[in-house]
Amino acid sequence: MKDANILIVDDNIGLGVSLSFILKKKGYGAVTAEDGNEAVNKVKNTFFDIIIMDIIMPRMNGVETYRKIKKLNPNPIVFMMTAYAVKELVDQARKEGAYNILNKLLDIDKLLDLIEEALE
Amino acid sequence: MNTKNKHGLNWVTKLAILYIVVMGLILLTQIFYIVPFIKDEKLEAIKSYQEEIAQNISSTLNNKNLEFKEEFLNIAGLPEFLNMDYEGQTEILVNYKNISGGIYNFFVIDSEAWYVSSSLEDLTPWLEDSHPEDPSYKNSFIKGETYYRNPVYFKSVGEINYYISIPIKSGTGEIIGALTGIILLNDLIEMIHKYELKEGTDITLVDSEGIVVASSSIDLYALEEGPLSLDYSDHPEVRAVMEGGNGSFEHEHEGISYFSSTHIIESSGWGVIVSTPTEVLQAETNRLERFLWLINGILFIVPLTILIIFSRQIDLARIRSEKVLQKQSKDLEKTREKKLAALGQLAGGVAHELRNPMTAIKNSSYYLKIAIEKPDTDIKKTLGILDNAIAASEDIISDILGFSNPGDPLKKKVNIKNILQDIIARTNIADNIKVFLSLDKSMPLVLADPLQVSHAFSNIILNAVQAMPDGGKISIGYAITDKKWLDISIKDTGVGIPEENLDKIFEPLFTTKAKGVGLGMALTKTFIDAQGGSIRINSKIGEGTTFTVSLPLEIKK
């Protein structure tokens, strides 16, 4: 489904923007958010098919943000990104229902496959 | 400064031993030569001294109190006496009494033992009569010589006297009377009693017939019962006097051994005997000997004690300083570990942080690849360079993060053969390196984290390849030990590792390469250990290196 909307949440702007370029090139809609609060606001206004979210962020981490987003959208498809497996948070993310855990540096090809899979 | 060898003694102990040996020799010399010599010398000195005493007393008495003998003889030879002029005789006697001193009185008796004249003003009744039965008178006529009678103790008067009788001869040689005298010996006795002697020593004065005249051991004044037999003429020391000898000798009396020195008083032929039981003399030398040993003991023990204490102090100080050094080195070790841990944390943090910008770089590279429609060769190359650099950076980041926080192994049933084959497939192995995999189908599976194990073996194989820049052989085989361990050996024919580096290989930050953090082998070991296994290395310069990884087999229950 190429008109799926994807939200990328990462406090690392370059990371988010470059990923959004790739996704857009591949035909998806892609939007970036710098932190959890911005992400929640965006979710309020727009529907996203997939959310790709960094676990460790300032002010509000990925898991917290996920919980908040779930209140607005009960079943979001969430990919959690992590620079390194912080076990507790990863476990929590899984418990919350994360679709997959992605390790940075991102394997883009694998990510694109997973996105396709998730949309079906 | 090392005060003690591991198996040795400190210098003070050695000194102490030397001291003991030297003192031992000195002591032996003393026992066999020096002390006996000193004792003998001392004994000789004591004996000499005793002889000296005898001589001194003898000299003192030489002219004292015994001069009377000469005077008596002189008087008896005077012509007046021969004429038996009583008045004349009295006058002479009176004069002589005053000069001689020590003579109580003397008087003349006729040939029938009648008192004739005297120096005494008061005549004791005893002397008024003739006493022809009195041997002292009779003898003077019979003997015809100067006669001394044994000393007599006059209890009532409290004194000891000698009687002396000298015959008076006429011109024709006929004995016409006798000059008799009483000699008081008290001052003699006093002198002897007052002589300062060491305990046990006695002075005895005997006359030429062996009669004791005075003795420091007999208080003649104290005799209550009457006179003792003062005839000691059978005593050897007295005999020596009677025989006219000066000298010293040992003798026995009633089971006791004595050392006596005798000296003849020239004027009278009397003798001075100074006597000490040999036990007393020996006691004195024994005292000296004990004193010498005491000194020896002190000289021996005191420095030795000091040396021992000193030696102990040195040892204690050494132990203390060793402990301090040990503690210091332990503290250093701890500090190092802490630093390493902190560095590890820092590195981990840095690596972690690096991943974010690295991801952006990687994403960007990917995008450029898909966005540039017709990249020329150089652009393609550049994109390739980007990818390689990103991959290399990620490897470094992985190594650092892997080492600082390896993570718990997620164990699965793993086929090591597959893992190794994968590694060989994706590692850049030069053509001049041949790889031999001798892992057959019967090689058992192990329970391990595939990622960690893969990473570990990857490093080893990379090492092997790098060790053979001019080509070589990599042989991989396996063995089962004690039914508990799967030992996988990876052997190369490379340059080998020097012995001094062998135990450092697995230390973090150790590397002999120009590039690289030096975490590869440390990480390998960390990962292998995390599976419950172990790794060891064998190497010879010029021949090659063998890594052996042991992983635990599932123990079938």
Side-chain angles (χ1 to χ4, degrees):
Chain A
M1 267 165 48
K2 290 298 177 171
D3 23 294
N5 223 0
I6 303 177
L7 173 63
I8 304 161
V9 189
D10 197 314
D11 57 307
N12 205 301
I13 303 171
L15 193 159
V17 169
S18 56
L19 183 57
S20 74
F21 282 2
I22 296 172
L23 294 174
K24 280 191 217 167
K25 198 68 159 146
K26 292 291 177 180
Y28 299 106
V31 174
T32 60
E34 253 182 77
D35 69 9
N37 286 319
E38 201 189 327
V40 169
N41 282 337
K42 295 225 159 120
V43 168
K44 273 190 198 155
N45 301 325
T46 323
F47 177 75
F48 292 99
D49 300 88
I50 290 178
I51 304 174
I52 302 175
M53 184 144 61
D54 190 11
I55 285 188
I56 302 205
M57 290 189 292
R59 294 176 290 278
M60 186 160 59
N61 68 36
V63 177
E64 263 298 301
T65 314
Y66 189 0
R67 287 194 192 119
K68 289 221 163 124
I69 286 174
K70 268 211 259 184
K71 290 184 184 156
L72 303 166
N73 171 2
N75 293 313
I77 298 171
V78 174
F79 289 83
M80 290 298 237
M81 287 192 290
T82 168
Y84 202 74
V86 178
K87 199 166 187 295
E88 300 79 33
L89 281 177
V90 169
D91 288 344
Q92 279 181 33
R94 283 219 172 88
K95 259 211 260 180
E96 292 293 334
Y99 187 85
N100 213 312
I101 312 287
L102 306 168
N103 282 324
K104 295 178 184 173
L105 289 41
L106 296 174
D107 184 339
I108 301 296
D109 291 326
K110 182 171 168 197
L111 173 61
L112 292 171
D113 287 342
L114 284 170
I115 289 173
E116 251 189 68
E117 212 181 274
L119 290 172
E120 277 148 25
Chain B
M1 178 183 86
N2 236 4
T3 56
K4 184 174 168 168
N5 310 323
K6 269 191 182 166
H7 305 292
L9 307 161
N10 69 44
W11 67 271
V12 177
T13 308
K14 285 187 185 156
L15 186 64
I17 291 173
L18 181 67
Y19 186 75
I20 291 173
V21 170
V22 167
M23 278 308 280
L25 287 172
I26 292 175
L27 285 173
L28 280 175
T29 316
Q30 289 197 55
I31 291 171
F32 291 111
Y33 295 104
I34 298 177
V35 169
F37 177 73
I38 293 177
K39 273 176 84 174
D40 284 344
E41 288 291 295
K42 175 71 176 176
L43 196 62
E44 286 312 306
I46 295 172
K47 290 179 179 179
S48 279
Y49 181 62
Q50 189 171 271
E51 278 168 29
E52 240 179 79
I53 295 175
Q55 202 174 328
N56 286 346
I57 297 171
S58 170
S59 311
T60 312
L61 295 178
N62 199 21
N63 292 316
K64 194 181 157 57
N65 292 335
L66 308 174
E67 294 159 349
F68 60 86
K69 181 182 160 194
E70 289 301 314
E71 274 132 62
F72 263 129
L73 287 169
N74 291 339
I75 296 168
L78 289 172
E80 302 90 288
F81 264 74
L82 293 173
N83 290 331
M84 300 293 276
D85 178 327
Y86 302 142
E87 274 178 36
Q89 282 170 350
T90 310
E91 213 182 300
I92 293 168
L93 288 173
V94 167
N95 286 335
Y96 269 94
K97 177 198 171 183
N98 293 333
I99 293 169
S100 299
I103 296 176
Y104 188 54
N105 65 11
F106 45 90
F107 47 91
V108 179
I109 51 175
D110 66 13
S111 57
E112 280 166 23
W114 281 100
Y115 166 78
V116 175
S117 71
S118 160
S119 61
L120 270 179
E121 283 162 23
D122 281 4
L123 296 169
T124 64
W126 194 72
L127 294 169
E128 273 174 343
D129 308 334
S130 163
H131 297 273
E133 73 279 6
D134 193 318
S136 57
Y137 299 119
K138 271 234 159 82
N139 286 347
S140 53
F141 294 107
I142 296 166
K143 271 190 178 177
E145 291 174 18
T146 312
Y147 169 74
Y148 292 86
R149 207 179 81 173
N150 292 352
V152 175
Y153 174 64
F154 287 100
K155 192 161 135 191
S156 55
V157 183
E159 54 196 37
I160 296 177
N161 300 333
Y162 249 25
Y163 278 87
I164 184 164
S165 191
I166 302 170
I168 302 168
K169 295 178 185 171
S170 70
T172 54
E174 187 196 340
I175 294 173
I176 51 173
L179 177 59
T180 326
I182 300 169
I183 303 157
L184 202 60
L185 299 174
N186 289 1
D187 56 344
L188 218 89
I189 293 163
E190 242 175 79
M191 191 211 93
I192 284 172
H193 274 264
K194 280 184 181 159
Y195 205 93
E196 272 186 46
L197 298 168
K198 54 162 137 284
E199 213 175 298
T201 304
D202 287 318
I203 307 174
T204 309
L205 201 58
V206 291
D207 70 9
S208 51
E209 281 167 28
I211 309 297
V212 170
V213 176
S215 171
S216 62
S217 64
I218 305 172
D219 190 351
L220 296 169
Y221 295 116
L223 292 173
E224 304 256 312
E225 306 300 310
L228 297 172
S229 158
L230 300 169
D231 183 356
Y232 279 36
S233 54
D234 61 337
H235 289 215
E237 68 272 31
V238 175
R239 293 225 75 83
V241 168
M242 288 157 72
E243 280 152 27
N246 290 346
S248 301
F249 53 93
E250 278 188 41
H251 61 93
E252 242 188 68
H253 178 69
E254 285 172 10
I256 300 173
S257 172
Y258 293 88
F259 175 74
S260 301
S261 308
T262 63
H263 207 281
I264 306 295
I265 303 171
E266 277 166 28
S267 58
S268 58
W270 289 12
V272 178
I273 305 170
V274 184
S275 224
T276 314
T278 44
E279 232 176 63
V280 171
L281 296 180
Q282 279 165 355
E284 210 175 311
T285 56
N286 286 346
R287 258 202 304 276
L288 175 65
E289 189 181 10
R290 278 201 293 275
F291 178 71
L292 286 174
W293 287 122
L294 180 68
I295 299 289
N296 269 318
I298 292 172
L299 282 178
F300 184 68
I301 287 172
V302 168
L304 196 64
T305 309
I306 293 173
L307 284 175
I308 288 173
I309 292 174
F310 193 43
S311 157
R312 273 219 74 212
Q313 292 303 346
I314 289 185
D315 282 351
L316 284 174
R318 177 191 58 83
I319 289 173
R320 255 182 265 125
S321 78
E322 269 182 11
K323 279 196 180 154
V324 167
L325 283 173
Q326 269 178 17
K327 183 168 189 302
Q328 279 179 354
S329 116
K330 265 199 194 147
D331 287 345
L332 244 126
E333 193 51 44
K334 266 197 192 150
T335 314
R336 185 177 168 273
E337 280 173 14
K338 273 193 193 158
K339 273 192 186 164
L340 215 62
L343 275 174
Q345 295 278 67
L346 177 64
V350 166
H352 187 178
E353 288 308 309
L354 271 175
R355 274 193 168 151
N356 279 317
M358 285 303 301
T359 307
I361 295 171
K362 190 175 180 183
N363 291 351
S364 304
S365 164
Y366 190 93
Y367 178 72
L368 287 174
K369 266 195 278 189
I370 58 177
I372 299 175
E373 287 178 354
K374 286 183 197 154
D376 63 25
T377 336
D378 285 351
I379 291 180
K380 274 199 207 155
K381 264 199 186 157
T382 307
L383 292 170
I385 290 168
L386 251 180
D387 280 344
N388 286 341
I390 291 166
S393 305
E394 174 54 23
D395 281 344
I396 294 173
I397 291 172
S398 286
D399 273 356
I400 295 175
L401 281 171
F403 180 74
S404 67
N405 188 6
D408 294 332
L410 297 162
K411 289 196 179 172
K412 300 180 185 160
K413 279 218 179 125
V414 156
N415 189 337
I416 301 291
K417 183 169 165 199
N418 293 343
I419 289 180
L420 286 166
Q421 281 169 338
D422 277 343
I423 295 169
I424 292 164
R426 64 165 193 265
T427 309
N428 204 358
I429 300 179
D431 293 332
N432 55 9
I433 297 176
K434 304 278 174 237
V435 181
F436 296 96
L437 219 56
S438 330
L439 309 173
D440 55 32
K441 288 185 199 146
S442 60
M443 191 176 89
L445 305 178
V446 289
L447 212 58
D449 182 327
L451 286 174
Q452 293 184 342
V453 165
S454 177
H455 202 138
F457 279 116
S458 210
N459 274 334
I460 297 173
I461 289 172
L462 204 61
N463 236 310
V465 168
Q466 285 167 350
M468 299 184 291
D470 302 320
K473 190 170 83 176
I474 298 180
S475 319
I476 304 179
Y478 82 97
I480 297 181
T481 316
D482 294 341
K483 295 187 187 171
K484 279 196 284 188
W485 302 98
L486 175 65
D487 298 335
I488 296 158
S489 58
I490 300 165
K491 180 168 156 46
D492 67 54
T493 56
V495 293
I497 299 166
E499 212 181 301
E500 62 266 19
N501 286 346
L502 277 181
D503 46 358
K504 291 190 208 157
I505 278 260
F506 297 114
E507 268 181 35
L509 307 176
F510 177 79
T511 179
T512 51
K513 301 184 201 152
K515 290 192 202 135
V517 191
L519 287 177
M521 277 294 123
L523 194 53
T524 298
K525 181 174 190 301
T526 304
F527 279 155
I528 299 293
D529 288 347
Q531 318 308 316
S534 63
I535 181 169
R536 23 178 216 292
I537 180 173
N538 253 316
S539 186
K540 211 163 180 186
I541 303 274
E543 285 184 17
T545 306
T546 307
F547 281 94
T548 310
V549 173
S550 297
L551 292 168
L553 291 171
E554 263 187 292
I555 299 167
K556 292 195 176 129
K557 290 175 191 169

